DNA sequence: TCCTGTGAAACGGTTCACAGCC
DNA sequence: GGCTGTGAACCGTTTCACAGGA
């Protein structure tokens, strides 16, 4: 039952869930792998393979129940619960999270914000008050933080990651252009805008050479 | 010479370049694939394979010249030039770009910002003045935009993408949780914070089932 | 000796094709 | 007939292992 699930599979599951929620909004009751594939930018076979890792949710000749599959995916992805999230770095990157309406809708609750700038500490920021970075251990412990978002400069990221994990954080979302070294059982995902831009730059540069 | 280069390879090249630039700062002159691998979180063989797609830049028994390899990678990635970038959506996500110092350092020049909110239009925002979204075609044409960053709501993204491409944008960075449909020769990279959080959520949920 | 460059093997993910059930 | 679930074939990527040059 515990097959290793690839990263790309998880991404696609997210897509499927989003598509299903849209279908729920339109009161659709069933959906075929073909329809789901069209939205996720993949193939029907891929959809079925992805889902097959977790069980058999569909009915042959009929498709999948929208409501049931959405529920299953929420449970599989772990978004059928609330996650307590702390943000380190009360800057623009961090505040961008507020613009993602799905962020809260998917159960990610921002319950702490930390910053090292004394001018920011104590200010009310979104749903919470900014704490000093020296309070990290206490905040993570007392508020029972699950996930930590690191929106700090690259040279500070590793140290903060270590402190966060030691204090009890179970997963990290890292915006710094740094390869974090943490224990193997602590999942880390990296978001790096410059790297994404470079991917575009590369694609366009390659094209030139090809033509 | 024009082998198809995978996405993950390009990401690693970005890592290598970053590592090399740090080494340049320390006045290191040579580096081995082993050392580069350690920083990029990969293996020495992988580094050599990645580089071998583009030529033979190293010296056997010695390693790679830091300065030369950095130059080669900049050329390969296309960051040895300037790219003209436009941002649609003058919100928090867009402004987060200013916090990435590498953004400008890698040649990505923000030369236009567009928004549909009349209250924002005309305001000076970072290095430029905000234009109305209706000006998109004119702005893209006149300022010769290469890359377009879409920081707009999901339901607006597809239409804006189409307009941008028609007006001459050559690549898109999309923050909306939407699978954009554009011509095959227009590279698109997607950044979706909620999806990254869901990947963490999934990893932690899986762990529970395993234990 | 040291470290690169690279075929070959191993691995993992995607696609195919079809049996099986509605 | 329609659509799922899944073994098997396929294909791209990573790892291995070693020949060859500094």
């Amino acid at each position: 039952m515990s097959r290793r699930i690839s990263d790309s599979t998880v991404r696609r599951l997210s897509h499927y869930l989003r598509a299903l929620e849209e279908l729920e909004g339109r009161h659709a009751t069933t959906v075929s792998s073909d329809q789901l594939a069209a939205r996720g930018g993949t193939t029907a076979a891929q959809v079925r393979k992805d889902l097959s890792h977790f069980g058999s949710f569909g009915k042959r000749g009929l498709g999948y129940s929208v409501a049931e599959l959405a529920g299953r995916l929420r449970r599989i992805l772990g978004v059928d619960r609330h996650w307590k999230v702390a943000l380190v770095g009360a800057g623009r990157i961090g505040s961008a999270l507020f613009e993602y309406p799905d962020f809260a809708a998917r159960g990610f609750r921002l319950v702490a914000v930390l910053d090292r700038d004394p001018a920011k500490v104590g200010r009310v920021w979104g749903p919470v008050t900014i704490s000093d970075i020296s309070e990290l251990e206490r905040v993570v412990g007392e508020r029972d933080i699950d996930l930590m978002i690191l929106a700090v400069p690259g040279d500070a990221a590793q140290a903060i990651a270590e402190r966060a994990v030691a204090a009890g954080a179970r997963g990290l979302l890292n915006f710094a252009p740094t390869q974090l070294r943490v224990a193997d059982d602590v999942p880390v995902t990296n978001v790096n805008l410059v790297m994404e831009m470079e991917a575009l730059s590369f694609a366009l540069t390659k094209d030139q050479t090809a033509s």
Side-chain angles (χ1 to χ4, degrees), chain A residues 133-149:
Chain A
I133 187 70
S134 64
E135 302 279 275
L136 189 147
E137 284 75 9
R138 194 177 59 71
V139 168
V140 170
E142 285 181 2
R143 303 193 200 169
D144 200 20
I145 298 299
D146 298 302
L147 306 171
M148 203 101 186
I149 300 175

Side-chain angles (χ1 to χ4, degrees), chain A residues 15-128:
Chain A
H15 270 126
Y16 305 153
L17 178 54
R18 214 176 312 274
L20 286 165
E21 287 178 346
E22 201 188 314
L23 289 169
E24 277 184 325
R26 298 196 207 154
H27 306 292
T29 57
T30 59
V31 64
S32 68
S33 54
D34 235 341
Q35 292 169 278
L36 275 177
R39 295 163 165 282
T42 181
T43 66
Q46 183 77 77
V47 172
R48 298 199 298 274
K49 235 326 182 278
D50 288 340
L51 296 178
S52 77
H53 295 133
F54 303 96
S56 304
F57 310 134
K59 299 230 183 310
R60 294 172 194 230
L62 233 157
Y64 302 88
S65 150
V66 170
E68 191 206 322
L69 186 56
R72 298 273 195 161
L73 284 178
R74 281 193 202 96
R75 206 147 47 244
I76 289 166
L77 288 170
V79 295
D80 59 338
R81 49 159 287 183
H82 291 293
W83 294 93
K84 293 185 183 166
V85 180
L87 165 66
V88 187
R92 286 162 168 154
I93 295 172
S95 76
L97 296 174
F98 299 131
E99 266 183 38
Y100 274 86
D102 282 357
F103 193 81
R106 284 287 161 75
F108 299 108
R109 290 228 176 122
L110 193 62
V111 297
V113 178
L114 299 123
D115 204 287
R116 67 176 170 189
D117 181 356
K120 288 181 178 171
V121 173
R123 289 223 299 242
V124 174
W125 204 76
V128 289

